[in-house]
Amino acid sequence: MAVIGGGPGGLYAAALLKRLDPAREITVWERNAPDDTFGFGVVLSDETLGGIEHADPAVYAALEREFVRWDAIEITHRGRRHVSRGHGFAALGRRRLLAILHARCRDLGVDLRFRTEAPYPAWLAETHDLVIAADGVHSPTRETFASAFRPRLTSHRCRYIWLATDLALDAFRFDIAETDEGVVQLHGYPYTRPSAQGPGASTVIVEMREEVWRAGEFTLERCAELFKDTLRGHPLRSNNSAWTTFRTVVNERWSSGNVVLLGDAAHTAHFSIGSGTKLAVEDALALAACLAEQPDLERALAAYEAERRPVVASTQRAARASLEWFEDLALYVGQPPRRFAFNLLTRSRRVTHDNLRLRDAGFTASVEREFGCPPGTPPMFTPLRLRGLTLRNRVVVSPMDMYSATDGVPGDFHLVHLGARALGGAGLVMTEMVCVSPEGRITPGCAGLYDARQAAAWRRITDFVHAQAPGAAIGVQLGHAGRKGSTKVMWEGIDEPLPDGNWPLVAPSPLPYRPESQLPRELTRAQLADIRHQFTAAATRAARAGFDLLELHCAHGYLLSSFLSPLTNHRTDAYGGTLTRRLRFPLEVFDAVRDVWPPQRPMTVRISATDWAPGGTTEAQALEIARAFTVHGADAIDVSTGQVVPDEAPDFGRSYQTPYADRIRNRLAVPVIAVGAISSWDDVNSLLLAGRTDLCALARPHLYDPHWTLHAAAEQGYEGPGVSWPAQYRAGSRPPRTGRTDGPKPRLRLGS
């Protein structure tokens, strides 16, 4: 077996494989000297250490003697220091880690070849049974077999440098400096203890946006001066360190024949969650185990990748969220101090409100007080005022198309569907997209507000909500399907054209949604005026029907959305071209609706902040779209993404759309509604308390459990005014017993 690269991952893999089968001939090639290293400290989690202890007690025992352990995170921001405890960390010097692994490999009989370039990977593959490429982020092996591994490397927007100082910090430190050039941040942690031999040492990473770095001279001396309080006047030192940008490495495959990638060669995760060495060591454990468990190499490498890929993908999602948070750090420095600290701690979405409350209840309570939570009130149950409407809590039942109307008239199904969710405790219940004309429907089953029968049916529903679910508000979402209309209902074939009974489609430009979709007609100015009138007529009916809030649907590729996206608007007149022109018709509709909508009732706008497709709406354009609607009087922006073009490639994951809401809220200082795979009340509390959103809209959780909000209150032990159980349901406000439970044990012996 050949191991290319003598970092922790490669060495640990060699040691484990040799320990499991001493007959194996294992050679490690490392081009540097044994004590060469370009980092300083290494952080490992308790979970990873547990795996090491089980797999190789000798290595664990040697590491245990070296570890520095601590449980505090300290955040310094605008002269205020915040401390949160309960976050167990363990670290040691990278040189010591390598020395321990060198010694273990030698004891086991691994052939270590330092200052030696590995032979060409293709030759190794021909002459060895297994080649482990642990040759780092710039892996030559990965490049040699690029056609098989199909790597994607993404560079990011910050510069950083690895440094050290001869001072043992007593916590994981995040310090923020605001300079004339921009925001600079320090990440620091100890890796050796003070002793008779010296004062101990800490890793210090200095990071800033690329444009900040280019605007100034950030020497070691200047960086030490910026963070002199944290460093207590100690200088910073380098070890061939250079300013660089982080690169995220993703590979479609991790093995090809008998060559397998491990550690940074296979994947990287940003240093702000401290996971590079951790991932490499875990890779080594999994690879060794799979080789022992599987009958042949092919199945072993497949099992290794199947086991590790989901873990790595989860870590990379968290690392990307953390990386992007630090890239956008300037957005948050103006936050109240405790909110800023909480936002930083929860940036990767792995640490949450509930998790942090368990770790450090005092710190979390102080953040809640600053947020304005009444005593004993979770953030999600604090009220929010939009214009003349006060929402009793921050939970929104997101618009969900039910495709169950007849001739646009909502029926008993809608009454039960929306009524049940209002009874379930949400602060705001939204209708599905309600269409402003028969031709504006998505499917024959879509609800409308284009005639009196429909308005009367909606009034029945709003009356029920207001009478039977006091405190719940109900909102209507108005929209026009545009080129995405005249299709089957979802469960018969989503976005598939009707086989018969079609109606003509219109759009900004004559572009079908899919090749098999109907070709829409390009709207004329006269037709634009007609559609504008359809929206105002529907809004007038909505007001009379008793809706508390109106949302204009400008997302998901429907008519108004397709004016906004450059992928769907190819017009050359005053309604196409620049973003200002693409905004013109949606803003005309918004203004017309705002004029007829009661002034005390709020209006929101749902937008797609990205099309998830090349050439689509950019981040800067999404901000301009949100700003334009806010200037025209929108009370909140409902920030969704995608569904504009069929060949989109969304980056799915937990809360995956919330960063778009976060940027709009914190760049523009406007209220936002966050949507997209928010599934737990803990997520809702975390997003609100961090200042990333003002409201959270949940769809599928409310399909699974109409009483999701009531149950969230019960699970948190909350019984205040932010939610109330209907009198008829109050007996069910505690979970029922599910079977026999053991009662109290009788005393059967004397003495203790």
Side-chain angles (χ1 to χ4, degrees):
M1 295 181 175
V3 179
I4 306 173
L11 291 168
Y12 192 51
L16 288 177
L17 289 166
K18 188 70 172 174
R19 181 171 181 265
L20 289 170
D21 185 352
R24 287 170 169 151
E25 297 179 15
I26 302 176
T27 306
V28 178
W29 278 271
E30 172 53 56
R31 64 183 179 181
N32 297 306
D35 58 352
D36 282 350
T37 182
F38 302 100
F40 297 97
V42 173
V43 179
L44 295 173
S45 70
D46 288 341
E47 180 183 47
T48 304
L49 292 174
I52 293 173
E53 183 177 19
H54 182 266
D56 194 334
V59 170
Y60 177 81
L63 294 174
E64 181 66 25
R65 289 191 292 271
E66 302 285 340
F67 274 131
V68 179
R69 293 184 180 273
W70 71 98
D71 79 336
I73 297 176
E74 294 188 13
I75 298 163
T76 301
H77 167 235
R78 293 189 171 177
R80 298 279 298 275
R81 185 172 71 99
H82 305 279
V83 181
S84 175
R85 300 192 178 277
H87 305 271
F89 295 102
L92 78 164
R94 186 175 172 87
R95 278 200 176 97
R96 284 300 302 142
L97 173 60
L98 292 175
I100 289 167
L101 293 174
H102 292 160
R104 184 58 172 155
C105 284
R106 290 192 184 98
D107 288 347
L108 292 167
V110 174
D111 182 3
L112 300 179
R113 301 186 184 183
F114 296 104
R115 300 186 181 88
T116 306
E117 289 283 352
Y120 194 62
W123 181 84
L124 287 174
E126 290 178 2
T127 56
H128 289 71
D129 298 301
L130 176 65
V131 179
I132 300 172
D135 45 354
V137 64
H138 303 291
S139 170
T141 311
R142 185 184 64 227
E143 294 309 307
T144 298
F145 299 102
S147 61
F149 296 129
R150 295 191 288 278
R152 297 194 313 276
L153 280 67
T154 305
S155 294
H156 298 283
R157 297 182 290 176
C158 281
R159 289 272 182 160
Y160 69 96
I161 188 169
W162 287 88
L163 303 168
T165 188
D166 294 323
L167 165 71
L169 298 169
D170 56 1
F172 210 125
R173 295 295 301 262
F174 294 101
D175 285 19
I176 313 303
E178 295 176 70
T179 72
D180 291 340
E181 296 90 346
V183 180
V184 181
Q185 60 260 26
L186 173 148
H187 312 242
Y189 57 86
Y191 65 88
T192 61
R193 308 181 191 91
S195 66
Q197 287 72 43
S202 298
T203 292
V204 174
I205 305 167
V206 180
E207 184 184 25
M208 66 198 76
R209 285 282 290 245
E210 175 78 18
E211 60 269 26
V212 176
W213 181 77
R214 290 189 178 279
E217 290 290 329
F218 291 95
T219 62
L220 267 60
E221 293 74 19
R222 186 179 179 199
C223 291
E225 177 63 24
L226 286 175
F227 300 106
K228 62 183 178 182
D229 291 341
T230 292
L231 300 175
R232 300 176 205 164
H234 286 256
L236 292 168
R237 56 184 170 84
S238 166
N239 179 21
N240 297 314
S241 307
W243 289 98
T244 188
T245 56
F246 187 81
R247 295 208 295 178
T248 296
V249 174
V250 175
N251 286 276
E252 286 190 27
R253 294 184 59 196
W254 293 1
S255 65
S256 175
N258 64 341
V259 180
V260 63
L261 302 177
L262 184 147
D264 283 354
H267 45 70
T268 58
H270 193 248
F271 55 81
S272 61
I273 64 169
S275 61
T277 301
K278 172 184 182 295
L279 287 177
V281 167
E282 290 174 353
D283 282 354
L285 274 164
L287 179 61
C290 290
L291 287 166
E293 294 163 357
Q294 299 298 323
D296 56 56
L297 181 63
E298 181 180 359
R299 278 181 276 193
L301 297 185
Y304 158 69
E305 184 170 345
E307 177 182 330
R308 289 296 295 156
R309 187 176 284 279
V311 177
V312 168
S314 175
T315 302
Q316 287 189 312
R317 282 194 297 271
R320 180 175 172 180
S322 179
L323 174 156
E324 290 177 347
W325 193 92
F326 281 108
E327 286 183 337
D328 290 333
L329 182 58
L331 289 180
Y332 308 116
V333 291
Q335 287 186 320
R338 291 184 179 86
R339 170 173 282 189
F340 176 86
F342 180 88
N343 197 354
L344 188 154
L345 291 170
T346 60
R347 67 195 181 278
S348 73
R349 303 194 286 274
R350 287 196 157 183
V351 175
T352 64
H353 169 262
D354 198 47
N355 180 266
L356 198 55
R357 187 171 55 180
L358 289 173
R359 298 182 188 205
D360 193 335
F363 170 80
T364 308
S366 73
V367 182
E368 291 172 344
R369 286 193 298 272
E370 185 183 76
F371 179 77
C373 298
T377 301
M380 67 187 291
F381 294 114
T382 56
L384 178 70
R385 187 174 180 84
L386 294 175
R387 240 174 240 247
L389 176 66
T390 298
L391 300 175
R392 62 180 175 181
N393 62 54
R394 307 298 184 96
V395 178
V396 179
V397 176
S398 197
M400 293 175 279
D401 286 316
M402 293 291 107
Y403 307 113
S404 300
T406 302
D407 296 327
V409 179
D412 290 346
F413 180 90
H414 295 82
L415 175 67
V416 173
H417 167 68
L418 294 169
R421 279 137 191 92
L423 290 171
L428 174 63
V429 177
M430 292 298 300
T431 70
E432 61 198 86
M433 184 177 90
V434 175
C435 304
V436 298
S437 69
E439 298 78 22
R441 292 174 297 164
I442 309 167
T443 76
C446 287
L449 254 174
Y450 45 84
D451 66 31
R453 284 190 311 141
Q454 296 158 358
W458 284 117
R459 184 77 206 203
R460 176 183 177 225
I461 294 169
T462 62
D463 283 348
F464 177 89
V465 170
H466 293 142
Q468 301 299 327
I474 182 166
V476 62
Q477 185 188 70
L478 292 185
H480 187 296
R483 70 177 189 151
K484 294 179 73 175
S486 196
T487 63
K488 299 176 182 178
V489 298
M490 181 176 63
W491 47 87
E492 292 178 357
I494 190 166
D495 294 325
E496 291 183 13
L498 289 170
D500 52 57
N502 296 93
W503 53 86
L505 302 182
V506 294
S509 302
L511 303 170
Y513 181 64
R514 288 180 168 172
E516 68 274 18
S517 300
Q518 184 186 151
L519 180 69
R521 295 195 307 260
E522 180 170 307
L523 285 160
T524 66
R525 291 206 173 203
Q527 289 172 317
L528 292 177
D530 287 343
I531 289 173
R532 206 163 46 240
H533 174 72
Q534 290 167 1
F535 272 95
T536 57
T540 301
R541 294 187 185 96
R544 292 173 183 162
F547 285 104
D548 302 298
L549 175 147
L550 186 148
E551 178 164 282
L552 193 63
H553 200 340
C554 297
H556 300 169
Y558 298 120
L559 183 66
L560 299 181
S561 169
S562 59
F563 270 91
L564 295 172
S565 172
L567 296 176
T568 51
N569 185 343
H570 294 180
R571 296 175 76 101
T572 58
D573 64 0
Y575 292 96
T578 65
L579 178 58
T580 300
R581 291 183 173 188
R582 300 199 307 273
L583 267 162
R584 183 176 176 182
F585 183 63
L587 288 174
E588 286 179 357
V589 172
F590 180 90
D591 291 342
V593 171
R594 182 70 267 184
D595 284 345
V596 301
W597 185 245
Q600 74 277 14
R601 300 188 206 178
M603 269 187 70
T604 63
V605 178
R606 175 168 278 203
I607 67 169
S608 284
T610 177
D611 298 337
W612 299 113
T617 300
T618 65
E619 179 181 322
Q621 289 171 343
L623 289 167
E624 286 305 309
I625 290 167
R627 179 183 286 112
F629 281 114
T630 304
V631 168
H632 280 246
D635 298 290
I637 305 299
D638 186 354
V639 187
S640 187
T641 65
Q643 300 181 52
V644 174
V645 291
D647 55 344
E648 65 179 5
D651 188 9
F652 287 120
R654 177 166 152 251
S655 306
Y656 72 105
Q657 296 181 111
T658 59
Y660 296 92
D662 183 351
R663 292 186 193 108
I664 288 171
R665 184 186 193 276
N666 286 291
R667 284 192 189 278
L668 304 183
V670 301
V672 299
I673 305 169
V675 304
I678 303 169
S679 57
S680 72
W681 50 259
D682 194 18
D683 286 338
V684 174
N685 285 328
S686 301
L687 293 167
L688 292 168
L689 205 56
R692 296 172 196 163
T693 189
D694 300 276
L695 292 162
C696 288
L698 299 91
R700 286 177 176 84
H702 281 115
L703 294 179
Y704 180 76
D705 179 5
H707 297 98
W708 186 90
T709 310
L710 291 177
H711 293 152
E715 289 165 14
Q716 295 175 82
Y718 174 71
E719 297 180 348
V723 69
S724 60
W725 283 81
Q728 300 91 329
Y729 291 173
R730 199 166 291 139
S733 61
R734 293 180 182 175
R737 294 184 178 182
T738 55
R740 178 178 174 179
T741 58
D742 291 333
K745 298 291 186 184
R747 182 183 179 98
L748 298 176
R749 61 181 181 177
L750 293 171
S752 58

